[in-house]
Amino acid sequence: SGPVPAPMAPTAAGSGPTSDKLPHWDDVLTALEEQRKFTLFGWYQLARVMSFTADELVLGFPLDVHSMGEMASERGPLDDLRLVLQGMSTKLKNLKISVKMLDAAESAQAGARSVLESTRESKAAEKTKREAEARSHPMTKAVQATFGAQIKEIKTDV
């Protein structure tokens, strides 16, 4: 994937360009949400950032969300996204945005991940970690030894 821009503080809705740095994709999604562009937010949070430079943003939509990618790739939504981005950074005045529908192999690659995919993966990792901690806890082991019990299920708040 391309260069990863440095994180930038979120901007207030309706403000002019506030930085000459590239915004981080999470900040772009936050701006869409703050500006109440919920439809755009819904579509673009599913996108994988394939590359993001001052000249070009390439978004990829995995196989299972092609229908959302098709809607997000229409001229109106892309123009709205471009305006939000240009409002976040003076470097993005000539930004070209393209959307790619990823094939099965590209969708399965573990490279770039959408915000939702990353969140889902981190929650799964946290749940696995907590389950392992519960299984190895001294009190759990004492109960198993005392009653000869087996663990059927571990519920976590993740």
Side-chain angles (χ1 to χ4, degrees):
S1 65
V4 177
M8 170 181 129
T11 60
S15 64
T18 59
S19 175
D20 60 355
K21 295 180 186 175
L22 288 178
H24 191 274
W25 185 246
D26 289 344
D27 294 327
V28 175
L29 293 175
T30 298
L32 288 173
E33 198 170 25
E34 287 175 351
Q35 294 177 29
R36 306 186 62 74
K37 297 181 181 293
F38 298 120
T39 301
L40 294 179
F41 173 79
W43 293 336
Y44 292 123
Q45 72 176 341
L46 298 169
R48 295 181 182 177
V49 178
M50 308 308 286
S51 70
F52 190 2
T53 65
D55 299 319
E56 183 178 34
L57 169 61
V58 179
L59 299 173
F61 282 83
L63 194 58
D64 59 338
V65 292
H66 274 189
S67 60
M68 296 295 214
E70 289 168 5
M71 290 183 278
S73 67
E74 293 177 4
R75 184 175 179 184
L78 287 177
D79 287 344
D80 288 346
L81 177 61
R82 185 176 297 103
L83 287 173
V84 169
L85 284 160
Q86 289 170 344
M88 295 179 76
S89 174
T90 56
K91 282 190 169 192
L92 300 174
K93 63 182 178 184
N94 297 317
L95 181 68
K96 177 184 179 229
I97 304 173
S98 58
V99 173
K100 179 179 181 183
M101 300 304 147
L102 304 177
D103 61 26
E106 292 169 321
S107 296
Q109 286 179 344
R113 287 282 179 229
S114 71
V115 170
L116 285 182
E117 289 170 319
S118 297
T119 301
R120 194 177 309 128
E121 287 170 3
S122 66
K123 281 185 178 181
E126 180 68 19
K127 182 177 181 176
T128 301
K129 177 184 168 198
R130 287 190 181 195
E131 286 178 359
E133 288 171 353
R135 288 181 191 280
S136 64
H137 193 277
M139 188 60 73
T140 304
K141 291 185 181 273
V143 168
Q144 286 178 308
T146 302
F147 297 104
Q150 293 291 326
I151 298 173
K152 287 187 177 182
E153 178 182 18
I154 296 176
K155 294 186 178 184
T156 66
D157 60 353
V158 178

